[in-house]
Amino acid sequence: MNGRHDQSPPPEHDGGLSHDLPVLARRRMIRLMAGASLVPLVGCTSQEKPSASPSSAAGSSSAGCAEIPEETAGPFPGDGSNGVNVLKESGVVRSDITRSFGDSAGGTAEGVPLTITLTVVDAASGCGTPKKGAAVYIWHCDREGAYSLYSEGVTEENYLRGVQETDAKGRVTFTTVFPGCYPGRWPHAHFEVYGSLADATAATSITSTSQLAFPRDVCEAVYATDGYSGSVRNLSSLSLEDDGVFGDGHERQLAAMTGSARAGYTAALTVPV
């Protein structure tokens, strides 16, 4: 089951802690059960295998490997579970998600350039088999911390949302901008994995819902640039360890980063499902 409310959303859309406690409790129980198992679970992020490229699957094992942690989709999914459904709109399948599309207001999200590459792999095969033909829907806030379709001032926009089908290596790549940091949540991006592009655009049969976290040093470098002044203050009072989503373990959700605030960043994460 997929949660639908963020741990600490922007104040004007506070979903409340009560929405998230079942999701977090379920994750902790899964971790306890995994720890008691006689079969070790092997993580699959690029951070745990520095020699692997973003497109390669790490941590193969005949016993399989740990799936990406299941997380809340938050109150702003845009997948029809909380109001508007952007997945059924023509134009949502795209790699550049910086601009709004279709009948939206036609705005463009500004900020430090960011490329996100997710590699979807089969956890049951030890993360050694790419999931070709799967699909990923990704969304995140803009540099002001606002979510298109929901937040005040951008309800007529649908930027920073898009779908891609995985290639033969299980990869999807999105061109976007670095998200801001709003009160109460560590900087992150949401994503849903579907079995096929048809499932994604029909908004049915979600395989996995999770979130990607950004490293502190990268966040600090980005937030020192123009347009992110509010994020500096918000980030200063947060840590990954205290975050309501990432606090119980973020190792398999922390993106591997390359680049700079001047030239833009690339974030890579392996997603076992």
Side-chain angles (χ1 to χ4, degrees):
M1 296 180 63
N2 298 301
R4 293 297 176 189
H5 297 276
D6 228 345
Q7 180 69 19
S8 299
E12 67 269 26
H13 297 288
D14 191 352
L17 179 62
S18 61
H19 295 293
D20 294 325
L21 288 176
V23 175
L24 300 176
R26 183 167 63 252
R27 282 196 59 206
R28 292 189 176 96
M29 180 60 68
I30 291 172
R31 289 180 183 275
L32 288 173
M33 292 174 65
S37 173
L38 296 177
V39 180
L41 296 180
V42 182
C44 302
T45 64
S46 54
Q47 291 78 25
E48 295 170 347
K49 297 288 183 178
S51 61
S53 67
S55 63
S56 64
S60 62
S61 167
S62 59
C65 68
E67 296 181 358
I68 191 78
E70 190 77 4
E71 303 289 11
T72 173
F76 318 115
D79 61 2
S81 62
N82 187 21
V84 64
N85 190 342
V86 75
L87 293 176
K88 294 186 177 182
E89 294 186 19
S90 176
V92 72
V93 180
R94 59 199 186 130
S95 59
D96 187 340
I97 62 174
T98 57
R99 298 178 177 83
S100 290
F101 64 94
D103 296 329
S104 72
T108 299
E110 303 292 338
V112 170
L114 173 66
T115 299
I116 298 177
T117 297
L118 303 179
T119 302
V120 183
V121 297
D122 181 20
S125 70
C127 292
T129 304
K131 299 281 281 188
K132 177 184 178 181
V136 177
Y137 166 45
I138 195 167
W139 73 99
H140 61 80
C141 69
D142 61 22
R143 71 179 177 185
E144 284 78 33
Y147 283 85
S148 67
L149 302 175
Y150 293 90
S151 299
E152 183 178 356
V154 293
T155 56
E156 300 302 315
E157 303 288 357
N158 56 20
Y159 53 52
L160 306 183
R161 299 176 184 274
V163 175
Q164 281 280 287
E165 183 178 31
T166 58
D167 63 15
K169 295 182 178 180
R171 295 179 303 190
V172 292
T173 298
F174 296 93
T175 300
T176 184
V177 295
F178 204 93
C181 178
Y182 53 80
R185 275 306 317 276
W186 188 262
H188 63 282
H190 295 264
F191 61 90
E192 293 172 344
V193 180
Y194 292 80
S196 67
L197 188 61
D199 284 346
T201 53
T204 60
S205 304
I206 299 172
T207 299
S208 180
T209 303
S210 196
Q211 298 182 27
L212 174 154
F214 298 99
R216 177 178 285 277
D217 60 338
V218 173
C219 293
E220 290 175 343
V222 170
Y223 297 160
T225 65
D226 292 342
Y228 288 95
S229 58
S231 294
V232 174
R233 178 182 63 255
N234 293 332
L235 185 69
S236 66
S237 63
L238 299 173
S239 72
L240 271 165
E241 291 71 24
D242 293 332
D243 184 71
V245 170
F246 302 123
D248 59 349
H250 56 265
E251 294 81 6
R252 290 183 288 123
Q253 294 163 279
L254 188 63
M257 306 292 299
T258 57
S260 67
R262 179 182 295 274
Y265 283 99
T266 294
L269 185 71
T270 299
V271 182
V273 298

